[in-house]
Amino acid sequence: MEEVEHAVELDYLEAADSCYKCDDELAKLQERISNQTRVISELEKIVETLRLRIEDLVDRVNGTENFIAHPGTAFFNYLDEIAQASCSALARTPHYVWAVPRNCRRHGDGMTCDQACASAGQSLLSEVGRGDIECFDAFSVRKTDLGLRTYHYLQDGGCSWRANHCGPNYCCCRTSN
């Protein structure tokens, strides 16, 4: 009988020791779960940041596609930059200078470059706050099968080139001081 009691006592002690081991293992598992939860939370933040960056890149790509697909709109294109650089290069005295696009097609905007500069004057002046706007030159900037082509009209011919007749498609406008 004593042997049985001793065996039961050993079983109990082993079971109790085993429970303590289980408690230790359970505590370790809970700590691991807590750590993994923190890691998952950090990964979710990283994934959200990446999602926002990808969304931004998609918007930028779509904007670029829109820019390429819709020349002559408010989207800049290389023709705009060429015209702006050409007009700026001709300014011999300190002035604010803009290359204002002009629709010179048969059913275009119905304006000469003098009129296009005057029409854009208020919005241009809102950028600089002073002066009047005048046309001082004009260019035709085109893309052809052979590459880019520019034609310089000079003030007398370009600023007064008749409306709705293809000639200059960019008007060089500046503040007059």
Side-chain angles (χ1 to χ4, degrees):
M1 181 84 157
E2 209 175 290
E3 242 178 68
V4 172
E5 284 179 19
H6 183 63
V8 170
E9 189 178 315
L10 283 177
D11 285 344
Y12 174 76
L13 289 175
E14 286 176 10
D17 188 41
S18 179
C19 282
Y20 288 124
K21 288 180 183 176
C22 287
D23 288 344
D24 287 343
E25 289 298 316
L26 181 61
K28 288 177 184 177
L29 286 173
Q30 287 174 335
E31 185 178 338
R32 283 176 137 175
I33 289 170
S34 177
N35 288 338
Q36 293 302 319
T37 302
R38 280 193 292 272
V39 168
I40 289 170
S41 177
E42 289 299 316
L43 288 173
E44 286 174 339
K45 290 176 186 176
I46 291 169
V47 167
E48 179 62 14
T49 300
L50 289 173
R51 187 192 67 76
L52 292 173
R53 286 182 177 174
I54 289 170
E55 193 175 283
D56 180 54
L57 287 172
V58 167
D59 288 346
R60 290 170 64 190
V61 166
N62 288 340
T64 302
E65 288 172 351
N66 198 11
F67 157 77
I68 292 168
H70 300 95
T73 65
F75 296 101
F76 287 98
N77 62 55
Y78 58 90
L79 300 178
D80 293 341
E81 281 81 11
I82 291 169
Q84 180 65 35
S86 298
C87 290
S88 295
L90 293 174
R92 299 285 185 235
T93 57
H95 288 45
Y96 289 103
V97 175
W98 296 268
V100 174
R102 172 182 170 264
N103 184 343
C104 63
R105 293 190 175 100
R106 178 179 294 162
H107 301 291
D109 56 21
M111 290 192 276
T112 65
C113 277
D114 283 324
Q115 293 165 328
C117 288
S119 174
Q122 287 304 319
S123 63
L124 300 178
L125 286 175
S126 70
E127 293 180 9
V128 297
R130 62 181 172 78
D132 293 318
I133 300 294
E134 66 182 4
C135 177
F136 71 96
D137 218 319
F139 282 90
S140 173
V141 183
R142 306 256 187 239
K143 182 176 181 183
T144 69
D145 291 338
L146 299 175
L148 296 171
R149 179 191 76 204
T150 58
Y151 186 85
H152 183 197
Y153 284 85
L154 302 173
Q155 180 179 9
D156 295 336
C159 291
S160 60
W161 192 272
R162 73 178 191 242
N164 297 336
H165 183 268
C166 243
N169 59 344
Y170 286 94
C171 306
C172 297
C173 307
R174 68 180 173 201
T175 54
S176 60
N177 297 345

